Amino acid sequence: MTDAVIGLAYGPHYAHLGVVAVVLLGAACVKGTVCWSNVLPLALGRPGRRLAYLLAEAGMLLGVLLFGSWTASGPFQASLCFAWGTLAVATLGTGFWIASLRRVTDLGCPDRE
């Protein structure tokens, strides 16, 4: 159904990009699971951690975009490569923030073993 909606909105030349849109939607859903991560570095007392994370994420996304544009044979393949790379970066970021959550729970109980 996504192909039909994109075809109606942007024209028949873009109708096959529904797969790319679905993968990007999946990446947005993965990132949405850790939307609380925006305040986590402040709770840890390290606002620079959020900035470092954003710079690393931007660098990885730029790398995925460059990789897709260099290795793909056409625009569809490049956009699909970027979409899958975005999903991978979102999954890595989710893992990072979930691992950082452990520090928040350990702050309340310093003598936990």
Side-chain angles (χ1 to χ4, degrees), residues 10-33:
Y10 297 105
H13 299 308
Y14 299 99
H16 63 284
L17 293 176
V19 175
V20 175
V22 169
V23 176
L24 287 173
L25 178 64
C29 289
V30 168
K31 283 188 77 123
T33 60

Side-chain angles (χ1 to χ4, degrees), residues 2-111:
T2 308
D3 288 338
V5 171
I6 290 176
L8 285 173
Y10 297 105
H13 299 308
Y14 299 99
H16 63 284
L17 293 176
V19 175
V20 175
V22 169
V23 176
L24 287 173
L25 178 64
C29 289
V30 168
K31 283 188 77 123
T33 60
V34 290
C35 62
W36 46 267
S37 67
N38 292 327
V39 296
L40 181 61
L42 299 176
L44 293 173
R46 294 187 177 174
R49 193 172 193 170
R50 173 76 176 149
L51 180 61
Y53 170 79
L54 288 175
L55 289 173
E57 182 182 37
M60 286 189 286
L61 287 174
L62 183 61
V64 166
L65 183 62
L66 290 173
F67 176 78
S69 66
W70 285 335
T71 60
S73 60
F76 173 73
Q77 290 81 11
S79 60
L80 191 59
C81 180
F82 177 71
W84 282 109
T86 301
L87 181 60
V89 169
T91 303
L92 287 172
T94 299
F96 172 78
W97 289 119
I98 288 174
S100 295
L101 182 63
R102 184 174 180 172
R103 292 202 50 213
V104 172
T105 58
D106 287 346
L107 289 177
C109 302
D111 54 330

